[in-house]
Amino acid sequence: YREVLRKAGSHSVSASHLLTASVMSAPASLAMSKLFWPETEKPTVTLRSGLQMNLLEAASQGASTSIPLVANIAVNLISFLALLAFLDSALSWVGNLFDYPQLNFENICAHVFMPFSFMMGVDWEDSFIVGGLLGYKTFFNEFVAYERLSKLIHNREKGGTKWSTFSVRSEVIATYALCGFANFGSLGLVIGGLTSIAPSKKKEIAGGAFRAMIAGTVACFMTACVAGTVHKFGVPYSQ
């Protein structure tokens, strides 16, 4: 994340918050997965045997399996950035026809996700901005959203723009809410990656992919709620 954000400018998202969000997302995603897909049967693989099997499999096949996954991530990022540029241009053209040139994909997403950002603890005046970031993350990927967030941070620290009032508290909550791969762009990566590991479970994996994306989104929102709760008066809790 840090290397991607650095391309957007020197004022990028805090790496410490990203690492913390990654750690917090592990138990949150486990809790959400149990709620969305409860385990009602006794597992056929025990912890000891499953650990031995996973270690051997990772040593023999892990590196070779990761090569197409990394390639898919790179291709996905390029294609969705191009698609985003096309959508913004198309929406701007349609908006000009109705005397609304500011129409773009971000404004549409902001209206949809504005209530969610406010419920996570974002200040009301920043809810529209964070809602747009959540839309970018959900419909495209988190790399695009973090690039937009880094520009907002840069504009706030620079001042003199309409986004200069974007608060530190809103930045922290947005950082945690965006830290995850729960988006439509990752559905193909998840299905392709898991089916390559377990080809016999392709139907089950494809059937539960959309539910997994919703569970992952809720898990990210949970970590953002925790970050907003412990973040007081605009001072990061790590201080």
Side-chain angles (χ1 to χ4, degrees):
Y1 283 130
R2 188 71 176 179
E3 294 301 323
V4 174
L5 295 173
R6 191 172 296 172
K7 298 179 181 179
S10 58
H11 304 274
S12 57
V13 179
S14 171
S16 60
H17 284 309
L18 290 175
L19 293 174
T20 306
S22 299
V23 175
M24 292 173 61
S25 295
S29 60
L30 181 60
M32 285 299 102
S33 65
K34 291 296 183 181
L35 290 175
F36 276 73
W37 206 309
E39 186 177 0
T40 58
E41 299 178 358
K42 185 177 181 180
T44 57
V45 180
T46 62
L47 179 61
R48 180 176 299 178
S49 62
L51 181 61
Q52 294 175 351
M53 179 184 65
N54 289 335
L55 289 177
L56 293 175
E57 184 178 1
S60 60
Q61 301 179 4
S64 59
T65 304
S66 65
I67 294 176
L69 293 179
V70 174
N72 284 333
I73 292 174
V75 173
N76 246 294
L77 182 59
I78 295 173
S79 62
F80 276 100
L81 285 174
L83 179 60
L84 175 60
F86 170 76
L87 283 177
D88 279 339
S89 299
L91 290 173
S92 178
W93 178 78
V94 173
N96 284 323
L97 296 179
F98 296 94
D99 197 23
Y100 191 71
Q102 62 268 33
L103 178 66
N104 55 31
F105 186 77
E106 184 175 3
N107 285 337
I108 296 175
C109 293
H111 284 93
V112 174
F113 286 92
M114 185 177 181
F116 295 100
S117 61
F118 180 69
M119 287 188 291
M120 285 187 287
V122 177
D123 299 332
W124 178 252
E125 56 270 17
D126 294 335
S127 296
F128 188 80
I129 304 174
V130 177
L133 297 176
L134 295 176
Y136 275 127
K137 183 257 184 184
T138 302
F139 292 102
F140 291 97
N141 56 54
E142 67 283 354
F143 296 104
V144 179
Y146 274 126
E147 183 181 4
R148 305 285 292 187
L149 178 59
S150 65
K151 291 180 181 179
L152 291 173
I153 298 173
H154 173 73
N155 291 336
R156 184 196 65 218
E157 296 180 354
K158 183 179 179 181
T161 67
K162 63 178 180 178
W163 306 122
S164 59
T165 57
F166 189 68
S167 67
V168 177
R169 175 184 171 85
S170 300
E171 170 199 335
V172 172
I173 295 176
T175 301
Y176 283 78
L178 299 177
C179 188
F181 288 96
N183 51 66
F184 286 99
S186 297
L187 285 180
L189 297 177
V190 172
I191 295 174
L194 293 181
T195 52
S196 64
I197 299 175
S200 61
K201 299 293 183 179
K202 183 177 181 179
K203 184 177 180 180
E204 290 85 349
I205 293 172
F210 184 73
R211 190 190 300 185
M213 187 194 74
I214 298 177
T217 301
V218 176
C220 293
F221 289 178
M222 285 179 58
T223 60
C225 291
V226 174
T229 301
V230 299
H231 192 284
K232 298 180 180 180
F233 307 109
V235 179
Y237 66 87
S238 59
Q239 297 180 3

